[in-house]
Amino acid sequence: MGAMWERLLACKEEIRKRTGFVPATAVVLGSGLGDFGDLVKTEAAVPYGELPGFPSSTVAGHRGRFLFGYVGKEPVAVMQGRVHYYEGYPMEEVVLPLRALGLLGCRRVLLTNAAGGIGTEKGDLAPGDLMLLLDHIASLVPSPLRGQNEEKLGPRFPDMSAVYSPRLRALAKEAAGRLEIPLKEGVYLQAPGPQYETPAEIRAFAALGANAVGMSTACEAIAARHMGMEVLGISCITNLAAGLQKAPLSHEEVKKTAAEASRRFCALLEGVLLALGEEE
Ligand code: HPA
């Protein structure tokens, strides 16, 4: 991965030319969550397009820039828009922006996404629910760590037995309780996309232990853990997974439900960041 390391350093330097801001927590915004940027006291914005060789998102609803600033006392770097594997980028490129934020100083990342609800043992997941990620299944997509390992980022065979930080999960549950925002919990499965799943695939994923399915996040969580970052993941359940609802799945429905849940989702993220800001 020599070439990737060079690219990462070049990205870091390009960002550094634009701002000296040192973030502690990265926030990756999923579909429909772009408004979270309004809650950030922004000190600098860097469009991905200004960074040479940077992958840029082609999906409607994903803006494509970094915001650097504060939520309360917490210095954050927000990714307004991410790139996805289904857009054609190799996994190594999909996780490049997040790795760049790791090199800029982020020790933690809050990953968000829109996902289809498969259901949990405790009760069904309904559209509009927020779900804390307990774990993920990423075996159906390539690993972002495939290829020569860059030891400067992390070890060849990183442990994945606790990807989603119990400490950050506890913090998120506390914030949700304080804000009276219901928060479900479950296992997220990353599917390759871009097509939604078939009902047979969803039955298979349920048998594998998945509670929700989406097209992002797990690869980013792997890259973040590789670098030793603490990870929190939250899904907005925007629809019931294929075969569990009568209507066909559509990106319109996903965007609409995400937009409806956006205020709650933003308030929860803000609550977590405010709590983190008080820690240090
Ligand atoms: N499947 C995959 N990705 C998704 C879904 C889904 O049902 N809903 C939102 N993102």
Side-chain angles (χ1 to χ4, degrees):
M1 193 168 80
M4 181 52 63
W5 179 248
E6 296 300 317
R7 270 179 76 183
L8 258 176
L9 289 185
C11 280
K12 180 186 163 191
E13 269 154 39
E14 283 299 323
I15 296 171
R16 272 284 162 265
K17 279 186 203 159
R18 288 163 176 79
T19 175
F21 193 87
V22 180
T25 300
V27 183
V28 182
L29 300 178
S31 308
L33 267 176
D35 288 349
F36 180 76
D38 299 344
L39 298 175
V40 181
K41 213 170 122 241
T42 301
E43 302 223 332
V46 180
Y48 301 155
E50 287 186 10
L51 303 171
F54 214 70
S56 63
S57 178
T58 59
V59 192
H62 284 266
R63 236 178 298 200
R65 61 176 184 170
F66 290 117
L67 292 182
F68 296 94
Y70 288 92
V71 175
K73 294 183 194 152
E74 186 67 1
V76 300
V78 178
M79 281 174 57
Q80 277 187 318
R82 56 153 65 94
V83 293
H84 302 82
Y85 179 64
Y86 62 73
E87 292 176 78
Y89 297 104
M91 275 305 183
E92 194 175 59
E93 292 207 24
V94 171
V95 302
L96 184 129
L98 184 58
R99 279 177 164 164
L101 293 183
L103 293 187
L104 284 169
C106 289
R107 286 169 274 132
R108 297 179 277 273
V109 58
L110 316 187
L111 298 170
T112 67
N113 61 54
I118 297 175
T120 68
E121 302 82 34
K122 285 187 199 158
D124 287 338
L125 289 171
D129 281 352
L130 300 181
M131 185 190 94
L132 201 55
L133 271 60
L134 296 177
D135 204 345
H136 72 221
I137 297 171
S139 314
L140 300 176
V141 291
S143 169
L145 311 184
R146 182 171 181 269
Q148 192 188 331
N149 186 51
E150 180 51 67
E151 291 289 328
K152 293 188 194 76
L153 289 174
R156 170 76 291 186
F157 299 110
D159 175 61
M160 292 288 147
S161 50
V163 173
Y164 300 90
S165 155
R167 187 183 88 81
L168 293 184
R169 268 160 40 200
L171 214 103
K173 286 211 246 187
E174 266 168 43
R178 216 169 30 243
L179 296 164
E180 298 182 9
I181 297 173
L183 190 54
K184 306 264 173 86
E185 295 181 326
V187 173
Y188 176 92
L189 181 144
Q190 180 170 2
Q195 76 284 0
Y196 291 112
E197 300 70 31
T198 64
E201 283 168 333
I202 294 301
R203 287 192 297 275
F205 296 170
L208 290 176
N211 304 118
V213 58
M215 303 176 194
S216 66
T217 302
C219 56
E220 294 158 343
I222 291 169
R225 285 305 299 143
H226 181 234
M227 294 181 81
M229 292 164 81
E230 278 186 292
V231 179
L232 182 72
I234 308 175
S235 292
C236 175
I237 304 300
T238 52
N239 55 280
L240 296 183
L244 302 176
Q245 65 174 37
K246 286 207 184 84
L249 305 194
S250 76
H251 189 50
E252 295 314 311
E253 178 193 10
V254 167
K255 281 192 295 186
K256 183 166 173 282
T257 313
E260 284 162 8
S262 150
R263 269 184 42 171
R264 256 180 306 130
F265 209 159
C266 288
L268 178 59
L269 285 181
E270 185 184 35
V272 172
L273 291 166
L274 290 175
L276 285 171
E278 292 304 321
E279 276 186 347
E280 285 155 18

